[in-house]
């Protein structure tokens, strides 16, 4: 069952998402050579605290693994779920994927973005641009009367001509009282299939796109997802509200 939020719940979702977007934006501005991913995470934690919110990542459990940090920071060949550390220091021409998920008044906002550290190789820049535009192609399909497969199909169709690797084993998802609700939203799919979208559904749409092959490996830390060929990967995500009309991007910075 895909939860449909009441207008009161949507109003809290708006607050949570606005905060998640603000934290992501402020983190993005801090990304620079010489800064460790731990410093970025601590900075984010400070803003989350100031908002009276809490990280939805901290102590998140997957099997026997417990996530030890407040945000996910994934550099270059790291796709998602990178654990911030003082050893991982950002260098010129890196790309840094920041993923911020926070809970405020019982509701979760989720968003991510890949940030450039100065000038990056043109093929990496193109990868990121395509991944971000694919996100917006997916969002455009998050309309009442469409189906989940319409979102997946739009993302896939946007990326395919560029021959990038599209991650299949991690997907977008419903988001609300929990970080992960129904439905799952793959980045590959068939138009006209899957659950029907209705006003009041809130969805985290998140293409994860590799410069090389789609294959991934999970590091021994149990979290960090890296590309098998060690080529870079991009990740963009928004939390979106399905309405009677145009989709509303709840994590857009206004
Ligand atoms: Mg997500």
């Amino acid at each position: 069952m895909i939860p449909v939020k009441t207008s009161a719940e949507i109003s809290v979702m708006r607050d949570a998402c606005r905060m998640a977007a603000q934290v992501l934006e402020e983190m993005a501005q801090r990304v620079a050579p010489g800064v460790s991913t731990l410093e970025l995470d601590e900075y984010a934690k400070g803003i989350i605290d100031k908002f009276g919110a809490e990280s939805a990542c901290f102590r998140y459990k997957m099997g026997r693994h417990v996530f030890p940090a407040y945000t996910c920071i994934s550099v270059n060949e790291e796709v998602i779920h990178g654990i911030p550390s003082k050893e991982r220091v950002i260098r010129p021409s890196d790309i840094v994927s920041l993923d911020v998920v926070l809970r405020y008044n019982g509701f979760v906002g989720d968003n991510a973005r890949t940030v450039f550290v100065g000038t990056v190789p043109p093929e990496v820049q193109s990868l990121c641009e395509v991944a971000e535009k694919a996100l917006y192609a997916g969002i455009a399909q998050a309309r009442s009367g469409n189906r989940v497969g319409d979102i997946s199909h739009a993302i896939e169709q946007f990326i395919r001509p560029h021959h990038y690797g599209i991650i299949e084993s991690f997907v977008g998802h419903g988001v609300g009282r929990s970080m992960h609700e129904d439905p799952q939203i793959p980045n590959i799919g068939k138009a006209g299939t899957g659950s029907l979208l209705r006003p009041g559904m809130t969805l985290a749409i998140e293409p994860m796109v590799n410069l090389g092959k789609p294959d991934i490996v999970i590091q021994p830390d149990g979290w960090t997802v890296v590309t098998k060929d060690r080529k870079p990967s991009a990740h963009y995500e928004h939390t979106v509200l399905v309405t009677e009309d145009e989709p509303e991007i709840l994590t857009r910075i206004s």
Side-chain angles (χ1 to χ4, degrees):
M1 272 290 289
I2 306 178
V4 169
K5 277 78 180 177
T6 64
S7 57
E9 289 171 330
I10 289 165
S11 150
V12 186
M13 280 291 290
R14 279 205 181 90
D15 290 338
C17 288
R18 185 170 26 80
M19 291 173 186
Q22 187 72 38
V23 173
L24 181 62
E25 174 64 24
E26 293 193 31
M27 271 180 99
Q29 287 174 15
R30 281 264 165 149
V31 171
V35 175
S36 75
T37 56
L38 183 67
E39 286 172 71
L40 290 173
D41 191 57
E42 286 171 344
Y43 182 67
K45 162 83 162 63
I47 307 166
I48 294 169
D49 285 350
K50 191 183 70 188
F51 284 148
E54 61 185 61
S55 162
C57 300
F58 185 58
R59 296 194 176 136
Y60 188 87
K61 289 187 187 69
M62 198 165 59
R64 62 188 175 87
H65 297 285
V66 181
F67 196 78
Y70 300 95
T71 63
C72 297
I73 306 180
S74 310
V75 182
N76 297 337
E77 75 285 353
E78 296 173 349
V79 181
I80 48 170
H81 302 166
I83 301 174
S85 82
K86 68 174 189 302
E87 285 77 31
R88 189 84 202 224
V89 175
I90 292 166
R91 295 166 309 181
S93 300
D94 279 347
I95 57 170
V96 183
S97 297
L98 307 169
D99 195 345
V100 174
V101 197
L102 63 74
R103 182 178 283 103
Y104 177 74
N105 272 353
F107 284 87
V108 174
D110 188 357
N111 65 167
R113 186 196 307 173
T114 301
V115 176
F116 303 160
V117 185
T119 307
V120 304
E123 70 271 21
V124 177
Q125 187 172 338
S126 300
L127 167 75
C128 294
E129 286 168 2
V130 167
E132 185 171 25
K133 286 179 183 162
L135 167 61
Y136 287 100
I139 290 171
Q141 297 300 318
R143 302 182 69 98
S144 177
N146 277 3
R147 292 182 180 272
V148 170
D150 293 311
I151 298 174
S152 307
H153 181 74
I155 292 170
E156 179 181 5
Q157 289 305 110
F158 193 89
I159 297 167
R160 283 295 179 215
H162 302 277
H163 306 291
Y164 296 137
I166 305 173
I167 306 274
E168 291 190 59
S169 45
F170 292 90
V171 296
H173 48 92
V175 57
R177 288 190 187 274
S178 306
M179 188 188 336
H180 296 118
E181 297 182 344
D182 282 343
Q184 292 204 338
I185 310 173
N187 294 306
I188 290 177
K190 256 190 161 156
T193 64
S195 302
L196 199 56
L197 301 178
R198 288 282 174 229
M201 292 178 177
T202 44
L203 310 173
I205 302 173
E206 50 177 326
M208 290 152 263
V209 189
N210 297 351
L211 183 61
K213 298 228 155 44
D215 310 76
I216 51 163
V217 182
I218 298 179
Q219 296 292 64
D221 63 24
W223 290 102
T224 314
V225 177
V226 300
T227 57
K228 198 171 174 194
D229 59 16
R230 298 300 193 268
K231 291 185 178 173
S233 185
H235 179 211
Y236 292 82
E237 175 179 31
H238 274 305
T239 299
V240 175
L241 170 67
V242 180
T243 74
E244 298 281 359
D245 191 28
E246 295 292 314
E248 181 182 334
I249 300 176
L250 300 179
T251 44
R252 173 121 74 189
I253 287 278
S254 40

